[in-house]
Every structure is written in structure tokens, then in C-alpha cells.
Amino acid sequence: MANNSYSGVKNSMAETNHEGDFGCSLKELCNLMELRGTEGLHKIEESYGGVQGLCTRLKSSPVEGLSGHPSDIEKRKAAFGQNFIPPKKPKTFLQLVWEALQDVTLIILEVAAIVSLGLSFYKPPGADREHCGKGAGGVEDENESEAGWIEGAAILLSVICVVLVTAFNDWSKEKQFRGLQSRIEQEQKFSVVRGGQVIQIPVTEIVVGDIAQIKYGDLLPADGILIQGNDLKIDESSLTGESDHVKKTLDKDLMLLSGTHVMEGSGKMVVSAVGVNSQTGIIFTLLGAGEDDDDDDEEKEEKKKEKEKKKEKKTQDGAAMEMQPLKSEEGGDAEEKRKANLPKKEKSVLQGKLTKLAVQIGKAGLVMSAITVIILVVLFVVDTFWIQGLPWVKSCTPIYIQFFVKFFIIGVTVLVVAVPEGLPLAVTISLAYSVKKMMKDNNLVRHLDACETMGNATAICSDKTGTLTMNRMTVVQVYVADKHYKKVPEPELIPATIMDLLILGIGVNCAYTTKIMPPEKEGGLPRQVGNKTECALLGFALDLKRDYQAIRNEIPEEKLYKVYTFNSVRKSMSTVLKNADGSFRMFSKGASEILLKKCCKILTANGEPKLFRPRDREDMVKKVIEPMASEGLRTICLAYRDFPPSEGEPDWENENEILTSLTCVCVVGIEDPVRPEVPDAIRKCQRAGITVRMVTGDNINTARAIATKCGILQPGDDFLCLEGKEFNRRIRNEKGEIEQERIDKIWPKLRVLARSSPTDKHTLVKGIIDSTVAEQRQVVAVTGDGTNDGPALKKADVGFAMGIAGTDVAKEASDIILTDDNFSSIVKAVMWGRNVYDSISKFLQFQLTVNVVAVIVAFTGACITQDSPLKAVQMLWVNLIMDTFASLALATEPPTESLLLRKPYGRNKPLISRTMMKNILGHAVYQLTIIFTLLFAGEQIFDIDSGRNTPLNAPPSEHYTIVFNTFVMMQLFNEINARKIHGERNVFDGIFNNIIFCSIVLGTFIIQIVIVQFGGKPFSCVGLSIDQWLWCIFLGMGCLLWGQLISSIPTSRLKFLKTAGHGTQKEEIPDEELEDMDGLDEIDHAERELRRGQILWFRGLNRIQTQVMSSTWQDKNLHSFCLFVAGFLPEFKSSLTQFIYVVVAPKKKKKKKKKKSRTGLHGDILILLTFNSQWV
């Protein structure tokens, strides 16, 4: 595969001769990176004389790195490419216009308008219109009858307006999301060595030859060769499918691949391939993402594939190759089937409810419009051919057809008004607006629906360090040389032997990437770079007036004999040094109660070790560690062990033997103060009905003290604080299996989980989500920063990753990145989430009132007067106000603190509450009363001619203009009413904080004046006098007064009111549909409703849903498959959730259900890809 894949990569490198400047070519390096394990090692030894030789050829130094000179960097970019995979071009405005034109209702309107237009120009020869019935004749002005084309033209013009507005919204949305995407990409930085200094540079600036520092949690941005590693383990499952972590060492496997995750350890690598030439880049290029092929060809190919897909599913003729996503129904091996049986994570509550409601309204609208057309046609036929008793005259046929087209247009406009196409738009606008504003509140939203889900959150499981605390750690207490110091002692109080051991241990046994830098501003605090606990220890060394850097200069990282890096299982870190006499000394640091159990000696006041018995340990725990922990301090033990040369070299792989018989040097208490704003933020959460739980790896006493300071625990509460071990003991049965019933007994009262592992965190989150104890399913948000937090972040309804302390792996698994690592930012996310929900409800309340009124008016008017009082173009204008402008106005309301005064809505709460239903029906009653009064008595009230029963192509009437104008005025004032949905009286509260709302209401009013006064025939309007205008405005303002009356009626008294817009419950889904969804991790309710409803005009909703690809593709030709997938790729570039597909050899071979091994594929081609979860 290697050579073929490489040949597909387009690169301008061949055109330049910069490769001659270096000792190896681009192709050589690409071929080298195709090799694995010992094969790669031998190749490097043979061709370059080892890694050092490769660095020399690339003109790089393993210690100094590149010079960093701009000309050298440019040369490397020209020779080996940039670390950038070009994204696919965004859709042009014209393509978006074309997409918007695909809307079924708009197509029907266009056809009807064109037919109407064509017929209006048709003049039957010698036809006497009087013989064709009452409606056809009686037009006094010949010019007016010739102006029949105007209505058709106006409808076409309105359709164009709607299409342009939709396309513009889509275009701006895509632009915004691409901007957001590039913001995420820009924030990705990586540590490299240039000019002997470790610096952070944007990932896109990495070049071949760079010496990159890699550490636990990194997502490798380029391919590279390991030049130094400490306990390095890599997760290569994204490229190879192997779930086991691969150990990387200089003597076995030193090939590091882009897109893989560092799960443990640290090291350095020389970058060997970047961008489209790296392993991930080659796969992207194979898929056509990096190609500039003609988009049209790809789209045609895509459509062809979609048509063929169904056929191929049926006719499985043992094609040359079979491709299927791992998550598909047929692609499941044993593990996938097991996964499918787990409870599904339900996705996007709001969109599920919205789509269901929209489908129901759409169906109702379809029925109403069909009945309207049938009634109009029947009434016309009965009136003309039965009551008037006229025969069907051939010359009158075009006139009759004109009538039928007019009825059809009325029916379609009823449908247009009934179908809430504005719903998807409102969701998109509201979410996009919120996402943009949330960035200012330090929430970088990666998945749109996370924003809305956050509003429903009922539980937050938060880390302690950095989220609730400031993550600025300092050593404040020390137990050393048999004495407990309540503050850092003076250096002369510590014996010289202990001091030397202490400083040497701190210097070498803290990651070399961790350091204390001078303050940025004069008089400020020194900057802490790297792991904050290690920074506290380095700061402690500086407080003792000793320089740790001198030790590091003397013992560079390359001279460290062996490093056991910190991980959640060890809870400690150890570094081994080899002495000149052949002996070894190991320094260890870690959680005090864990490391003290491994100590058998302790250094005394004279610097000599003495025996450290279990009784001494218990005394120390009671007298030193517990008092420190009760003050909220993190306790760390520092120890060492000597291995004499007489015993020979120990077996370093036997960790249990190595990490025993330690000598304790000292125990330090590290303070990490609670962020000042956190207690208030937690109070707000608790008032808002959200339970905050602290999940930490710290000692239980430290955790309890911090939880009390934060307000998670109150004095006198009977809430639980558990350690990970105790938690596991309580939730597991005799066989060691987790039981949901046992978790259900614990989680409602659990507030602090201490000494917990990432597995415990995942178990807790899953237990709360799967629980059925509470009235409704819990919606859980989780914060995480470590690589191992990935599963918990993915399982949670909303995963928050730390922007500063978080690893790349955690960020990949998250939905929202907290750019300031601050808990109070989560509270802002809750506010925005609730605001999105309320914004949609406000829009629904407004829209459904207009829908009910417009449909009833059009329907009743059509039945009684054989003509809709609101003409097609007028309805399109009302539709534009309702959909586009109102969604923009109501969906951009800023959130207020009052949102946090109510409990979460929950997953099952209907979108339209009984209060909202009261408002909708109440306002509909007022509006219908006014409209029908004007319609049937307006001519007497205003002393004008009646507009009812006018013939075809009659001029606009004052009567119907007043009806139309009053209708629009009522909508404008009702838009102000719609700002409040919980029965509040003051609808003007905070109105001037939303400039968009004010300008839209004012703008709509001005456009309405222009339409009425100057719209003329196209809008079926005539100019109105000042008096008539004032009456229209007065009747519109009546909505505000009527709203006060409605809010005075208690909802509890109106028992007949029903709620609407419930989400689909799991139990409502038929078994066969659940089986269809078996391969999915999530039940996407919106997708399901769309499939069932088969209603095309809700495509807009799909665009903002994260796609779950679950169909099986089969094809004989890899290239055409790539083109097909390329359609899905454009925006999915930078971050990748796993969309893995396997290409296997012919079907004749029996599929094995065992774990795949790279070596045992027997000629099968295996391509595994990882894509990123994405906004669509």
C-alpha cells in the first residue's frame, strides 16, 4: 500500500531542488515511515548509521535542535512540505443558493407561479369573459385585467428573497464555523527545541528536522523517529486498530506516527514527515481531502454512489473488495456487538423534540392546505356550473385553469405559513450566536449540541486541581529531619546531607519540561511552566536558596538511566541514576500515604537513616499527614533507594521489587488555594438545581477540606465522601461485577470521590446517566484534563476539557474546552445552554401563534369568500417576518442571572409548556377576533368598499389592505410579548439590551410602511390614510394589553390545556427500529423522526447535527469510494472521532471474530481512519 499511497500525494517538492541541501529526500523519509518496529530500526542503522546519523543528514542536533533561522525553516518547508493538510474549498454562495432552491415547498410555489404567469399572458381569442361565470367578469379597468401577471411575478420574487436569505444564513454559518475551526487549530501548540531553547510553536510551523518534546497526553502532530524516551507508551489504535499501547524504545521500536496519542511517559523525537506526507496526511490524500479535483465530478460520483448503494446492499456478489464502517450492522465483530448491547447515549434533546414537533406541524399544515384547495375547487365548481348553471365552454378553459392555479397557490401559501421552516434557522442562529458569545466567556464549543445540552445539566462532576483551585501550587509545610515545620524552614535548619539529597532528588525527578520562569511583569509572581505539583517542588528548592537548574545542567535528561513516569496507577514517579562505581540510586516522589508504605527507613535530624516501622508510619499519618490534609494541603513524600554494585543490575521491569525498601527524605504539604469566584459559582449551581460533585485523585482529608471551602459540603450535611477503593467495594458484588442497584444507593448522596482513578470517574458518570432512581434521567457534565479522562468525557452528556492544563487527548474527547480552566465558566455555559432552550421556546410561542392565526384565516376566508384574505405574496412576507427576522430577533436574547433561579428542564419536558400554550391560544383568540371582525364588518367600520368576492385580477382593495396591515401589526407587538415564556408581566424587561431585537422590530415596521404605501399590485395593497394606520397600530398594540390579561389567568385553572413538543422516549421506539440502530453509540432522535416523516423541508436541521454514519458501503473500486467519502470530509479536517472503516479481501474468506492482528491479515488490505467529531 505504501508506494501506491505515496504516489497519490500531490506535492510541489519535486519542482524544487531544495532536497539536495539535505542528506535524504522526501521520498526516502516517506518510505522509511512506512516501516514498523525492528524493520524501521534496521533501516535507520543501515542507511543512516543510527538516529544520530539521520539528524546529521537533516542538519539538526538532538540537543540544540534547529537554529530556527527563517531561511532554514523556509528551505525545509520547500523541500519536505508544510505541516498542514489543505481543507476542501467551502461551498460557494451560488451552490448554497442552489441547495436552498431544493426546498420542496419553494419548488411547488415556483411551478405554480410560473403556470400563473403563463396563463395571465394567454388571451383566448374572442372569449367573452361574462359567459365564464361571475368571478371571471366584471373587471372595469382593462389595464387591471392585464396586470394579472404581477401576482405570479411577485411570488417568484418572494421565493428569490427567501432563497437568498437562506443561502446567506448558510454561508455566514459555514464561515463562522470555519473560523471557529481555525481558532481551535491555531490554539494547538507543540514544544520543540530550537537554538537550544525549548519553545512552543503552532503545530503548522513544525518542519522536518525539528526536535519535538513529547509527553503524556500529546497528540503527535507529525511523524518522527524517537531519539530519547522515558517509559514511553503510544496508543496507535487510530492508525492500526491495535487497542494495546505500544511501548517505544530505542532498541526495539522508534517509529512515531502522526495522529497517535502518547498515553504514558515522555521523550524527544526528530520530525521526519509532515502534512500530506505524514501517515495521517497520506490517508487524507487517499480520501481526496487534500486534492483539488473538480468538485462537480466528486458530487456526481457521490450521487451515483448513493443510488448504487441500495442496489449493492441487496446484490452482494462477492465484490473484489468490501468496505464497511466498524460501527455498521454488518461490520461488528464480537466486541462491537457487545458495545451495541450497552445502553445508548441519547443525543441532542432539543433537536429531537424540535424535529418531532416540526414534522407534526408540517403534517397538519399539509392536511389544512389540501382541504383548503379541495374546498375552493368544490365551491367554485358548484357555484359556476350548478348555482349559475353555466355549461363548460371550451374558450373559458384557460380562465377556469387560472382559477384553479389561484386556488392551488392559496393552498401552497397556507402550507408555506403552516410549515415552520424557521425552526431549523432559529436553532442554527441561536446556537451559532451562543457559541460566538460563549467564546468570550472562556467556553470554546466543539460540538454545537453540547451548548443546548448544558442547559439541561443536573449534575457536574468536577476535578479539583485547577478547576476549583487556582492551580498555582506552593510548598507551605514540611516534615524533614524529625521536625514538622509549619512554613518553609531556613536552609541552615536542614542538615547538609539531607539538603543535598533533597535538591538532587527534586532536580532530576521532576520532568525536565517543568520549570520556574521569571515573572512576566516586574513584581509579579514567578511563572510556573509544566506540571504544577512539580513546579511547587522546584519552587521549594528555590526557597531553600538552591538552584535546581545547575543539577539539570550537570545531569542532562539523556544521562538519566531509567524513568518511571507518573501515571494514575503508580501515583508516583521515580528516576534512576547510575553512579561512577556501578551502583544505582533511585529517587521517588508520590502520594504520601502510598509511598510511605514502601519506606523502611527515614532520615533523622543528624542526616542518618533509621528504621521506619509500621507503628512509626501510623504516628506520622496521624501527627503530620492528616493535620496537613485537613488544612486542604496535598501531601507528597520524597524518598530514595540505593542499589549497591555488589547486587548487580536489578530487573528494572519488575516494578514491585524496585519500588520497595525506600528511605523517606521528607514529606511536604502543598497548598493550592480555592479560586475566589468558585464558592459563589457553586452556590448558583445548587440554586439552579445542579448537584456539584468533586472527583479527585487527592487524599480524602484534603478533598473534604477543599469541598467544604468551595461549598460542595456544608457543615451538618449527611452527604458521602468516599475513597476510590471504598467506592469500588460498595458498588461491586461478590464476583467483582459492578451492579447498577448498588451505584443507585450511593450516587444521590455522594459529593466527594477521593483517591479516584479515571476508571472510577467513568464508572460514576455511567452509573449516574444509566440510573432510573430519579424522576428523570440525569444529564451529566464532566471536567477532565488527563489522557485517561477520555472515556468519562465521552460518556458524559457534556465533556469539558481544560484548555490550559488539559492534554490533547482530553480535548479531543471533549465537547467544550474551558480556555481558562475555571469552574465559574461552566456556570456561564449552563446559562447559555438554558438561554438557547428559552430562545427556541420564545420563537416557537411567537411562530405558532402566527401559524394558528394565518392558517385559520386563510382556510376560513377561502371557504367563506372563495379567496384568501391574505394573498400569496403577503403570506410570504409574513412568513419571512416569522421565520428569518423573528428567529434572528428572539434567538439572540442575551442570558440573564434569572435563568439560574429555576431547576433544569430535563430531557422529558415538553418544548411548549402549558403556560406557553395558554399564551399561544389566548393571543390567537384575540387576533382571530380582530381579523374576522375587520374581514366581515371592516367596510362598515371604516366606511370603505368591501374587498370580498372580487373577480379574478381585480385591483387591490383598501378593505383587505387594512386586514393585512392589522395582521402584521399584531405580529410585531406579539413579538414583544413572546420575549417572556414563564408568565412574567414585564415583557419590556431588558429589551434595550438586545440591539438586534430592537432593530429588527423597527426595520420590519419601516418595511411594512413601504409595502402598504408603495407595494401596489404586487403586494395587493393600496395606500392607507393616517387614521387607518393609527387604527391598525392601535389594534396591534391591543396584543400587549391582551397579554397582560392572559398572564393574569392562572395556568393551573386551565386544566384542558395540553403540552406539546415532547421528545421521543426510548420505550416509544419500536423494537425493529431499535435493532436498526444497534450499531450506533447514540440514538439521534432528530434523524429518526426525519426518516419516519420523509419531510424534505427540514433538511436545515440536519446541517447542524453531528452526523452518525452507520450505513455499509460496498464497492469494487477504491477510487470512486474515496470520491464518495470526500463529500463528507471537507470540514472534518482538524480533529478526528473515530470513523473507522475496514477494507477486507473477497468475501469468500471467513471473517474472524478474534482481535485483528497487524501481522495476521493474510493479504487483506486494512485501512483504518480516524475522523473528527464535527459541526455540520
Side-chain angles (χ1 to χ4, degrees), residues 807-868:
T807 60
D808 292 346
V809 182
K811 289 176 188 174
E812 284 291 312
S814 71
D815 300 295
I816 297 176
I817 296 171
L818 291 178
T819 53
D820 63 346
D821 289 13
N822 194 336
F823 183 84
S824 59
S825 299
I826 300 176
V827 182
K828 287 175 185 164
V830 172
M831 271 172 65
W832 277 107
R834 292 186 174 191
N835 192 55
V836 166
Y837 216 93
D838 278 8
S839 294
I840 303 303
S841 294
K842 289 171 189 176
F843 174 68
L844 268 174
Q845 180 174 299
F846 172 71
Q847 170 137 45
L848 293 181
T849 309
V850 190
N851 274 10
V852 169
V853 175
V855 170
I856 292 176
V857 166
F859 177 70
T860 318
C863 297
I864 298 171
T865 65
Q866 292 185 33
D867 188 8
S868 171

Side-chain angles (χ1 to χ4, degrees), residues 1106-1122:
T1106 311
Q1107 297 297 316
V1108 180
M1109 317 285 276
S1110 64
S1111 49
T1112 302
W1113 288 294
Q1114 293 178 341
D1115 190 18
K1116 299 173 187 175
N1117 181 319
L1118 177 62
H1119 177 64
S1120 50
F1121 169 77
C1122 294

Side-chain angles (χ1 to χ4, degrees), residues 983-1018:
E984 300 95 325
R985 283 190 171 279
N986 184 5
V987 291
F988 292 99
D989 181 33
I991 194 166
F992 295 112
N993 295 341
N994 189 354
I995 303 301
I996 299 175
F997 182 90
C998 298
S999 31
I1000 282 177
V1001 170
L1002 190 65
T1004 310
F1005 182 65
I1006 291 165
I1007 297 171
Q1008 180 64 16
I1009 294 172
V1010 173
I1011 286 173
V1012 170
Q1013 297 304 112
F1014 309 106
K1017 179 73 179 172

Side-chain angles (χ1 to χ4, degrees), residues 1080-1113:
L1080 304 183
D1081 285 342
E1082 300 171 326
I1083 297 175
D1084 189 340
H1085 294 297
E1087 283 286 335
R1088 192 181 148 271
E1089 287 297 344
L1090 280 172
R1091 250 192 317 253
R1092 280 178 94 197
Q1094 293 293 308
I1095 295 186
L1096 295 170
W1097 46 77
F1098 296 117
R1099 226 171 338 198
L1101 209 59
N1102 282 5
R1103 293 181 198 141
I1104 54 166
Q1105 284 168 348
T1106 311
Q1107 297 297 316
V1108 180
M1109 317 285 276
S1110 64
S1111 49
T1112 302
W1113 288 294

